[in-house]
Amino acid sequence: GAPCEPIVKVNDEVKVGQKIGDCGAAITSPIHSSVSGKVKAIRKHPQSSGANVISIIIESDGLDTLDESIMSRSNVADLTREELIGIIREAGIVGLGGAAFPTHFKLTPPAGKTFDVLVLNGAECEPYLSTDHRLMVERPADIITGCKLLMKAIGVNHAIIGIENNKPDAISALRENTSEDDGIEIIPLGIKYPQGAEKQLISAVLGREVPSGGLPVDVGVVVNNVATAAAVKEAVVDGMPLVRRVITVAGDSIEEPGNLMVPIGTLVSDIVDACGGFRTPPRKVIIGGPMMGLAQYTTEIPVTKGTSGILFLSDKEVFLDEVLPCIRCGKCVDMCPMNLMPLWLAGYAEASRFDDCQRLGALDCIECGCCSFI
């Protein structure tokens, strides 16, 4: 969405949960301080995308003092759909699976379209990443509460939570927190990448196919991540905006891998220190998973709302970097979850024939990396 504008100034004192950036555009999401302290600078700073983005640098006072606006709600059951969506917007909640699309906008269907089912994504199919798995095991009640709030916000009585069956403890934990009359269905799924992509997940749990160029709303579905549901619970029930998230820190080069609850804005270099430093110098640092993540040139970048993991990969974990000649074996065609022709798309792209790429459906590509990997 549209970038926020700072609403604080250098030398301002801020508190946890205080709104520090916002924008009037429809597709945007406000930013809140994740620490208490003083605004030291407002300037461009590198982000994981590679761009230098206007950033608010806050020096923490170590106290984590909550803003006075943070308070729990006793009238949650009385909230209307519009009020719920407004709270979700003001809390700055976005899709925590990695795409970071503003959640409030996704919950409002376009004119002439409606939802009939909510799908929560607990598949988490990329290697290394286990943030959603830990969240489902440790905070299942928060996820189910958030699921019910999302159901009310979009006006449906049916929700499905899709979880790959290599996470039996997560499946069990969520089933224990649902009852038969909740309208919430837990569906175990086969282990398959990239099943966590929303179009593939919709196909797996509902058998519906989102049309080329379409969105889930075109088949009556809205998809949210399980971590997003937990964040909705925190925002609506506890009054806490999105100021922290769970990330996976993994790879052979990091001394103490694990899942961490991290304040938004924390530098990767500080996370390295918190995990005991490097065991060996990493060959690659990747924000996200190994298939769809972005390689980084520095650790002086912050965790954002879309940061699902940070990988510090050793030499033996990094596959071939060089591009080899295509032998037209067709395996990339077999692997493509969007039923595209990657060998033709690659050939046309290398020849700058982008109109031909578009004709062959390049805009349907989800950049899952299956063609490159195979």
Side-chain angles (χ1 to χ4, degrees):
C4 290
E5 294 290 334
I7 56 175
V8 291
K9 305 183 300 296
V10 175
N11 293 324
D12 279 359
E13 297 284 342
V14 296
K15 298 178 180 179
V16 175
Q18 177 181 336
K19 187 157 70 169
I20 57 175
D22 206 346
C23 173
I27 307 180
T28 191
S29 182
I31 304 291
H32 302 77
S33 179
S34 59
V35 294
S36 58
K38 179 179 287 189
V39 176
K40 301 298 289 185
I42 299 176
R43 56 176 167 79
K44 288 192 173 183
H45 189 88
Q47 304 287 317
S48 60
S49 65
N52 289 328
V53 176
I54 289 293
S55 304
I56 299 170
I57 289 80
I58 301 170
E59 183 178 69
S60 172
D61 59 16
L63 300 176
D64 284 339
T65 305
L66 287 180
D67 189 65
E68 292 77 7
S69 64
I70 308 301
M71 58 184 67
S72 59
R73 291 183 176 84
S74 57
N75 65 331
V76 172
D78 300 328
L79 294 171
T80 65
R81 290 172 57 180
E82 291 74 18
E83 287 171 332
L84 282 172
I85 293 173
I87 292 167
I88 290 168
R89 192 270 176 203
E90 281 303 302
I93 296 175
V94 300
L96 295 179
F101 190 82
T103 299
H104 75 277
F105 193 83
K106 184 185 280 192
L107 300 179
T108 306
K113 300 193 177 180
T114 58
F115 300 120
D116 61 41
V117 61
L118 167 71
V119 173
L120 285 192
N121 186 354
E124 196 169 39
C125 55
E126 273 218 64
Y128 291 94
L129 301 183
S130 55
T131 65
D132 294 341
H133 185 183
R134 293 313 312 165
L135 200 67
M136 288 186 286
V137 170
E138 297 182 22
R139 295 173 57 196
D142 287 351
I143 292 170
I144 297 303
T145 299
C147 179
K148 293 175 182 177
L149 291 168
L150 286 168
M151 290 167 68
K152 183 175 180 179
I154 62 174
V156 301
N157 297 314
H158 183 206
I160 294 172
I161 306 178
I163 309 171
E164 291 189 333
N165 58 25
N166 61 350
K167 305 174 180 66
D169 48 354
I171 294 170
S172 175
L174 287 174
R175 280 182 170 163
E176 288 175 6
N177 281 270
T178 57
S179 59
E180 293 181 2
D181 59 354
D182 279 334
I184 301 174
E185 188 178 0
I186 313 297
I187 296 185
L189 302 169
I191 304 164
K192 188 186 298 184
Y193 175 82
Q195 198 161 220
E198 63 179 11
K199 293 180 181 179
Q200 282 66 35
L201 186 62
I202 290 169
S203 176
V205 301
L206 288 166
R208 303 180 189 178
E209 182 176 343
V210 178
S212 176
L215 296 170
V217 68
D218 295 321
V219 291
V221 182
V222 62
V223 180
N224 281 285
N225 187 266
V226 290
T228 305
V232 167
K233 179 268 176 185
E234 286 193 333
V236 176
V237 178
D238 306 326
M240 177 61 74
L242 182 56
V243 295
R244 60 180 186 169
R245 65 157 298 145
V246 182
I247 66 168
T248 295
V249 180
D252 282 351
S253 290
I254 196 75
E255 188 66 43
E256 299 173 10
N259 287 298
L260 282 67
M261 181 73 80
V262 178
I264 304 299
T266 304
L267 291 179
V268 171
S269 56
D270 290 330
I271 294 171
V272 171
D273 293 340
C275 292
F278 292 130
R279 183 181 298 137
T280 58
R283 169 76 176 277
K284 274 190 177 182
V285 176
I286 296 176
I287 297 292
M291 300 294 286
M292 299 182 75
L294 295 174
Q296 304 298 313
Y297 71 93
T298 178
T299 56
E300 295 303 309
I301 56 170
V303 166
T304 64
K305 296 177 183 181
T307 305
S308 54
I310 310 171
L311 307 184
F312 302 98
L313 304 184
S314 64
D315 284 341
K316 69 179 183 180
E317 294 176 291
V318 176
F319 284 83
L320 212 58
D321 283 334
E322 60 181 316
V323 178
L324 299 176
C326 173
I327 60 170
R328 307 179 80 78
C329 65
K331 287 185 177 180
C332 62
V333 179
D334 291 338
M335 289 295 111
C336 179
M338 298 305 294
N339 300 314
L340 303 177
M341 300 283 284
L343 71 165
W344 285 105
L345 292 171
Y348 283 141
E350 288 168 6
S352 298
R353 293 171 60 177
F354 302 118
D355 287 345
D356 287 318
C357 288
Q358 186 167 352
R359 177 174 56 83
L360 289 183
L363 295 178
D364 286 330
C365 172
I366 61 171
E367 301 183 33
C368 65
C370 286
C371 55
S372 296
F373 189 84
I374 193 64

